Amino acid sequence: MKQLLILVIVLFNIFNMNAQTNKSFTIKNSKNLPAWFDNVERQYTLNDDRLIDDSEELQFIGGFTSQKGETFFINNSELVFSESQIQIKKIKNVITKTFSSGDYLVEMIWDTSLTTGSYSEGTIRLSYKNILQFSSNLIISEF
């Protein structure tokens, strides 16, 4: 009986951990981007196309078009944020842009004094039900 109880506790903990940590950005490369991405005005990547020779290795996680809005690839879906779901705070040169939809929260932070041309470097975090799921460096490219 004691072994069965331990097994149930272990299985519950594994399931509970997976339920809380299986939310993440879906990384796309140039071959599997949706059609709307051809008209992107701003793109979000995890690496820098100025430093990568092969466009297949560029890791896209989202973008912005005026027709569609701010869109991130999360869990093999497109999560679109309307203007009412976006908050922007600026303290001196540091901008924090927060996107919220249901249980999802995406937070981008970058320093505009470090912007080079149309490229900004920052960080991005994804939380689900107030639990951090993903954190990484970010490249914002505007066209």
Side-chain angles (χ1 to χ4, degrees), residues 112-131:
T112 58
S113 67
L114 301 176
T115 297
T116 306
S118 62
Y119 291 84
S120 298
E121 296 180 41
T123 59
I124 191 163
R125 292 187 278 252
L126 171 66
S127 296
Y128 180 74
K129 293 187 177 183
N130 296 320
I131 298 172

Side-chain angles (χ1 to χ4, degrees), residues 33-44:
L33 289 169
W36 63 264
F37 212 83
D38 291 341
N39 300 316
V40 73
E41 298 165 36
R42 185 170 46 247
Q43 67 185 24
Y44 306 122

Side-chain angles (χ1 to χ4, degrees), residues 68-90:
K68 190 168 180 74
E70 296 278 4
T71 306
F72 290 94
F73 310 126
I74 299 176
N75 290 345
N76 297 315
S77 297
E78 293 180 11
L79 188 56
V80 180
F81 293 90
S82 66
E83 285 186 35
S84 66
Q85 296 171 304
I86 302 170
Q87 291 183 339
I88 300 173
K89 294 180 188 172
K90 184 174 182 182

Side-chain angles (χ1 to χ4, degrees), residues 10-100:
V10 168
L11 289 174
F12 174 79
N13 286 335
I14 290 171
F15 176 76
N16 194 31
M17 279 186 359
N18 286 338
Q20 292 178 357
T21 60
N22 65 355
K23 308 295 180 193
S24 189
F25 291 105
T26 301
I27 297 171
K28 296 189 176 280
N29 65 33
S30 61
K31 285 188 175 180
N32 62 6
L33 289 169
W36 63 264
F37 212 83
D38 291 341
N39 300 316
V40 73
E41 298 165 36
R42 185 170 46 247
Q43 67 185 24
Y44 306 122
T45 59
L46 299 181
N47 49 10
D48 194 337
D49 65 346
R50 296 170 295 177
L51 305 174
I52 295 176
D53 293 331
D54 184 4
S55 66
E56 291 302 308
E57 294 179 16
L58 198 56
Q59 299 175 331
F60 296 91
I61 59 168
F64 169 79
T65 65
S66 54
Q67 295 83 17
K68 190 168 180 74
E70 296 278 4
T71 306
F72 290 94
F73 310 126
I74 299 176
N75 290 345
N76 297 315
S77 297
E78 293 180 11
L79 188 56
V80 180
F81 293 90
S82 66
E83 285 186 35
S84 66
Q85 296 171 304
I86 302 170
Q87 291 183 339
I88 300 173
K89 294 180 188 172
K90 184 174 182 182
I91 301 174
K92 295 187 180 182
N93 294 328
V94 177
I95 297 176
T96 302
K97 197 170 187 180
T98 305
F99 308 81
S100 60

